[in-house]
Amino acid sequence: MSKYKLFLLRHGEGAWNKENRFCSWVDQKLSEDGVKEAQDCGRLLKEQGYKFDLVFTSILSRSIQTAWLVLEAMGQEWVPVVKSWRLNERHYGSLIGLNRAEMAQQHGEEKVKLWRRSYDITPPLIDESHPYFLEIYNDRRYTTCDVPIKDLPRAESLKEVLDRLLPYWNSTVVPEIRNGRTVLISAHGNSCRALLKYLEGISDEDIASVTLPTGIPVLLELDENLKPVKPRQLLGDQAKIQAAIKKVEDQGKAKPST
């Protein structure tokens, strides 16, 4: 029997989603389409009668901006928003900034799919020669973390995302859910996938085929032990959702030569 409702949301489309680049920890605002996705998401949730008591986000602007727009569209701007780096997108290391389709052309679609979707393969580490290294590690937001900057990731597998996310989930999010609060987690494709893997008990192999499109809310109905009582629901027009999933999956395919 369902006791709690939890909502997961991958942020609306960001500028680098549009350009098909690995964005990761580089801070990006939402694109125009991303703003619309977040607003449409909020309107949908309002129409369906949902109300949030608390929202958790990463410390990346696209996650926070999405939360704000969703709450605004719902008329729930007053709801508290709590931010943590532990909900950040997966750190893609030296792949950050690169175009996925061009990478597939160079290295093959299978290799790029492993880097993007596998559970325990870590991409090459970012180092100080990388064009975005200083932009990330000199950013003041990372001085607010519960670990020193020198101990923050330089690249992560999905397993490592789950490893840094779980302590926050257990210490901070779970008590709020158990207190009866309806929680929205406005985060990223991989932080949401990592949490889904944990909650739904998805195998290391099967998680590779779990795709979350931008701006589509995911409803999980949980029992008293925070185990799902039914399959996750992606809310909204199902035909549009399937088209959005295919679009995400096609990002790692090489462009046909012209």
Side-chain angles (χ1 to χ4, degrees):
M1 185 176 160
S2 172
K3 184 167 184 183
Y4 306 114
K5 285 185 170 67
L6 171 68
F7 293 80
L8 304 181
L9 176 62
R10 182 184 178 190
H11 61 78
E13 180 190 74
W16 279 15
N17 292 126
K18 201 177 190 75
E19 295 174 19
N20 200 13
R21 297 164 74 187
F22 286 101
C23 187
S24 187
W25 283 28
V26 173
D27 198 48
Q28 292 279 315
K29 296 287 200 290
L30 298 181
S31 68
E32 280 185 35
D33 286 345
V35 168
K36 184 175 183 303
E37 286 174 353
Q39 291 169 332
D40 287 349
C41 173
R43 282 191 280 268
L44 173 74
L45 291 167
K46 183 178 182 180
E47 284 165 13
Q48 297 195 2
Y50 294 116
K51 295 178 173 65
F52 296 125
D53 300 303
L54 190 58
V55 181
F56 291 97
T57 74
S58 74
I59 57 173
L60 293 163
S61 296
R62 56 196 188 272
S63 158
I64 299 163
Q65 194 181 1
T66 297
W68 287 346
L69 290 166
V70 166
L71 290 174
E72 182 182 38
M74 296 177 79
Q76 297 180 37
E77 295 96 327
W78 59 271
V79 170
V81 178
V82 181
K83 309 171 188 75
S84 173
W85 78 274
R86 291 183 180 273
L87 290 172
N88 269 22
E89 177 57 298
R90 176 182 171 191
H91 196 309
Y92 272 107
S94 67
L95 303 183
I96 288 173
L98 300 177
N99 180 285
R100 297 181 185 93
E102 290 171 6
M103 293 290 289
Q105 206 106 35
Q106 285 177 7
H107 301 281
E109 290 178 8
E110 278 309 304
K111 183 72 172 173
V112 172
K113 186 175 181 182
L114 280 175
W115 278 335
R116 290 182 70 208
R117 308 309 293 273
S118 65
Y119 181 57
D120 56 4
I121 292 178
T122 305
L125 301 184
I126 194 170
D127 63 29
E128 292 185 15
S129 68
H130 191 281
Y132 290 98
F133 183 90
L134 291 178
E135 183 172 328
I136 295 170
Y137 295 100
N138 279 356
D139 192 317
R140 191 167 69 92
R141 80 191 68 205
Y142 292 109
T143 65
T144 69
C145 298
D146 58 356
V147 297
I149 287 181
K150 66 180 178 59
D151 295 333
L152 289 171
R154 296 294 190 260
E156 293 174 304
S157 63
L158 190 65
K159 179 181 184 300
E160 289 163 321
V161 174
L162 184 56
D163 288 345
R164 54 109 153 145
L165 190 159
L166 267 185
Y168 186 72
W169 164 257
N170 287 318
S171 69
T172 307
V173 184
V174 166
E176 299 294 349
I177 295 172
R178 290 201 181 282
N179 281 335
R181 294 194 170 99
T182 302
V183 166
L184 167 66
I185 297 178
S186 171
H188 304 265
N190 284 299
S191 43
C192 288
R193 286 174 67 235
L195 194 51
L196 275 178
K197 184 184 191 303
Y198 172 73
L199 292 172
E200 296 185 332
I202 301 169
S203 72
D204 296 1
E205 293 73 32
D206 288 347
I207 193 60
S209 60
V210 174
T211 301
L212 297 177
T214 54
I216 303 294
V218 181
L219 168 60
L220 293 173
E221 296 195 38
L222 308 173
D223 65 17
E224 61 184 14
N225 298 312
L226 301 188
K227 299 293 182 192
V229 298
K230 58 170 74 170
R232 77 186 90 102
Q233 299 172 62
L234 276 67
L235 304 179
D237 183 303
Q238 295 302 307
K240 285 183 181 175
I241 289 170
Q242 289 308 310
I245 287 172
K246 184 177 187 305
K247 183 180 172 185
V248 175
E249 291 173 344
D250 286 349
Q251 286 175 336
K253 294 184 177 176
K255 288 179 182 169
S257 49
T258 52

